[in-house]
Amino acid sequence: MARKATIIGGGVIGGGWAARFLLSGWDVSVYDPDPEAPRKIGEVLANARAALPALADVPMPAEGRLTFAANLKDAVEGTEYIQESVSERIELKHRVYAEIQAHAPDALLGSSTSGYKPSQLQENSTNPAVLFVAHPFNPVYLLPLVEVVPSPKNDAQRIEDTKEILREIGMYPLHVRKEIDAHIADRFLEAVWREALWLVKDGVATTEEIDEAIRMGFGLRWGQMGLFDTYRVAGGEAGMKHFMAQFGPCLSWPWTKLMDVPEFNDELVDLIAGQSDAQSGHMTIREMERIRDQNLIGFLRVLKERNWGAGKVLLDHDARRASEAPAAKLSALDAPLLLSHMQVLPGWIDYNGHMTESRYLFASSEVTNAFLGLIGAGLDYVAAGRSYYTAESHIMHLGEAKLGDALTGSVQVLGADEKRLHLFMRIERDGAPVATIEQMLLHVDTVNGGTCPAAPEVLAKLQPIVTAHAALPQPKDTGRYVGQRKSR
């Protein structure tokens, strides 16, 4: 049975939370009295469905069920986790919490607030131990950071439970040890925002020029290395001490106006908004969101390839999902062994919108790896210096696979001896063949090179399968050569 999360407030942030939970397999109940909430969340969810799966290299779980509750009582019924994302008005938040805790007093209750401290949120709460800050970043369905901020009134174990839930849905919970206005990240953003307003107000730079300074310069560094590691590298071989000795005196120079606030009036609003409209007003917000998402996917994929920063979070999440997937088991031997369940991910698609050629071979390798693990020739066996290497492959492309399609992979053993393994694999969608792959594998000594007999314990597990599969009908497409006409 799917777990349930409740989202209170269906704006951009609430919609992002809903999408993150839904695409992680949770059922989601949304409460927002705004009659436009279903449309707004639907648009955010459409963006998320096109973006979040592109970060995964393992199948996504089945999407959860989305419902819109008519009232708070129905919204929180049976829920495990509640995320509040209403407007930044403390009196409104207190009213919402009071009603929530009247019906679900023990449920975990996180707030998306960007400014309030948890102790402020907990005022007059009937159960402050479960109420805390869980501040995300937009788009919630792509960016992993969540600032988890408790107060001394919070139950430490419930905070740990919260962090584990957030990891389960692919996020990075940053535990803020001391509550403070605006937490950690928004304090930086506020400083940059104030200085940017001054630069525009004083006519030093336009909104576009400031954005270019970030996009073309330090923004690229910060996104993959952060602030302090960036400056450590800037210090050269002498490191951070040299950097601070070189640039420390600048702290007393009048470079910034961070301690001053420009007067917030209609003139300032019109100046900023006018330049922003001139800069990017030719695009709709939805178009800009899609551009943003695709750029973020590209950045995150690169970081994932390097197991660095936010990319490490993605790799860890894939590993978690893979470990939770049911292991291949030796089922009845009177049919080919069904060993792999896969999903066509965005990275598998070519310019025609179909699964690209290399991914057919990748799909077959998933089946092969599962089979080798089944007979005791998995990663531990490889680490000991022995392995099966593919010597020959023949792929027949029989059908099209498209984004999101669920695929299965099965294997039939055509023959084997102490050094050779002859396999025939079927990749299917809804029982219909997408591809067949015939392979010959050789057992090798990876330390000394060259073929060698497989270990007796591997052969002992392999032989019963070979014997049983010898009684199965021979696949009609075995032994084909390129260009041979299809058999009828």
Side-chain angles (χ1 to χ4, degrees):
M1 183 176 178
R3 301 159 78 181
K4 178 183 175 182
T6 297
I7 308 300
I8 309 301
V12 172
I13 298 300
W17 276 111
R20 173 70 80 163
F21 275 104
L22 281 167
L23 295 179
S24 298
W26 288 55
D27 288 342
V28 172
S29 178
V30 175
Y31 174 69
D32 190 324
D34 180 3
E36 291 291 302
R39 177 189 63 79
K40 293 176 181 177
I41 286 188
E43 291 177 351
V44 174
L45 187 54
N47 283 349
R49 287 180 178 132
L52 184 58
L55 298 178
D57 292 304
V58 297
M60 297 284 289
E63 186 174 313
R65 185 170 64 98
L66 174 64
T67 57
F68 290 88
N71 52 64
L72 269 173
K73 179 182 178 182
D74 291 346
V76 302
E77 183 178 359
T79 197
E80 181 176 348
Y81 183 88
I82 303 168
Q83 184 71 27
E84 168 270 306
S85 301
V86 303
S87 301
E88 288 285 87
R89 304 201 317 269
I90 193 66
E91 71 282 357
L92 172 62
K93 291 181 182 292
H94 284 162
R95 288 201 305 271
V96 169
Y97 301 152
E99 189 171 353
I100 288 173
Q101 295 195 322
H103 303 294
D106 297 322
L108 293 170
L109 175 52
S111 174
S112 298
T113 180
S114 57
Y116 290 119
K117 294 180 289 190
S119 58
Q120 293 173 289
L121 303 178
Q122 294 165 344
E123 292 171 2
N124 302 318
S125 169
T126 57
N127 188 4
V130 297
L131 175 55
F132 50 88
V133 171
H135 176 236
F137 290 81
N138 188 36
V140 181
Y141 52 80
L142 279 184
L143 297 184
L145 180 63
V146 186
E147 294 175 315
V148 178
V149 191
S151 83
K153 293 182 178 179
N154 282 106
D155 181 287
Q157 184 55 53
R158 301 307 301 274
I159 294 298
E160 292 304 313
D161 294 343
T162 297
K163 289 157 63 177
E164 182 60 19
I165 287 173
L166 294 171
R167 292 188 191 102
E168 289 173 5
I169 62 173
M171 304 190 83
Y172 180 82
L174 179 63
H175 191 139
V176 180
R177 292 178 290 108
K178 183 177 181 180
E179 63 173 341
I180 187 173
D181 293 327
H183 326 312
I184 295 176
D186 273 355
R187 295 180 73 89
F188 288 111
L189 293 177
E190 173 68 10
V192 174
W193 176 242
R194 287 190 185 195
E195 190 62 27
L197 293 180
W198 274 117
L199 290 172
V200 175
K201 183 178 185 298
D202 291 348
V204 175
T206 64
T207 59
E208 184 171 11
E209 289 165 347
I210 291 171
D211 282 350
E212 296 292 15
I214 297 171
R215 287 189 290 234
M216 304 298 177
F218 67 86
L220 293 171
R221 298 187 307 189
W222 282 8
Q224 50 87 32
M225 194 160 277
L227 177 67
F228 287 102
D229 273 353
T230 292
Y231 287 159
R232 178 180 179 83
V233 172
E237 294 182 0
M240 181 60 82
K241 281 191 174 181
H242 174 70
F243 177 84
M244 295 190 71
Q246 184 176 5
F247 292 99
C250 300
L251 295 175
S252 62
W253 297 352
W255 275 11
T256 69
K257 294 187 178 182
L258 293 183
M259 302 308 295
D260 300 322
V261 182
E263 184 180 354
F264 188 80
N265 53 32
D266 291 342
E267 181 181 359
L268 180 63
V269 171
D270 291 343
L271 178 64
I272 299 295
Q275 290 189 14
S276 179
D277 289 344
Q279 175 182 340
S280 52
H282 60 286
M283 294 181 287
T284 68
I285 295 300
R286 294 292 174 239
E287 288 172 332
M288 294 185 71
E289 287 174 343
R290 287 189 285 271
I291 291 169
R292 174 203 64 193
D293 288 359
Q294 290 304 308
N295 289 338
L296 286 172
I297 290 167
F299 292 155
L300 289 166
R301 292 292 312 188
V302 169
L303 293 173
K304 187 177 184 182
E305 291 172 8
R306 288 156 178 77
N307 192 24
W308 186 264
K312 186 178 187 304
V313 177
L314 298 175
L315 279 173
D316 290 347
H317 190 49
D318 276 1
R320 175 194 285 266
R321 279 193 181 149
S323 68
E324 293 171 351
K329 295 182 179 179
L330 189 59
S331 54
L333 299 180
D334 57 354
L337 299 173
L338 179 61
L339 295 181
S340 184
H341 295 267
M342 299 163 279
Q343 183 180 29
V344 180
L345 302 171
W348 296 22
I349 299 301
D350 62 16
Y351 53 86
N352 292 314
H354 307 144
M355 191 163 94
T356 190
E357 292 179 3
S358 64
R359 287 298 174 172
Y360 286 89
L361 188 59
F362 173 82
S364 74
S365 71
E366 291 289 284
V367 182
T368 304
N369 289 340
F371 180 74
L372 293 178
L374 197 64
I375 62 173
L379 292 178
D380 291 341
Y381 190 74
V382 173
R386 293 168 293 181
S387 184
Y388 278 95
Y389 283 7
T390 302
E392 187 175 352
S393 297
H394 186 277
I395 302 178
M396 283 193 69
H397 301 274
L398 303 174
E400 296 177 351
K402 298 183 178 180
L403 179 65
D405 284 350
L407 306 178
T408 58
S410 62
V411 63
Q412 180 175 340
V413 181
L414 301 180
D417 57 29
E418 61 180 10
K419 293 184 178 180
R420 293 180 299 176
L421 183 55
H422 190 187
L423 303 178
F424 188 86
M425 285 158 284
R426 296 175 177 86
I427 307 300
E428 297 183 336
R429 182 191 64 248
D430 297 329
V434 171
T436 61
I437 303 94
E438 185 176 356
Q439 288 187 332
M440 180 67 72
L441 286 76
L442 299 178
H443 189 272
V444 299
D445 181 331
T446 61
V447 176
N448 299 315
T451 60
C452 68
E457 61 269 22
V458 170
L459 295 174
K461 293 181 179 179
L462 175 60
Q463 192 54 50
I465 304 174
V466 175
T467 301
H469 282 196
L472 298 178
Q474 189 87 343
K476 65 179 181 178
D477 291 319
T478 56
R480 284 181 55 86
Y481 57 84
V482 174
Q484 180 179 341
R485 290 182 177 274
K486 290 184 180 180
S487 56
R488 298 185 182 276

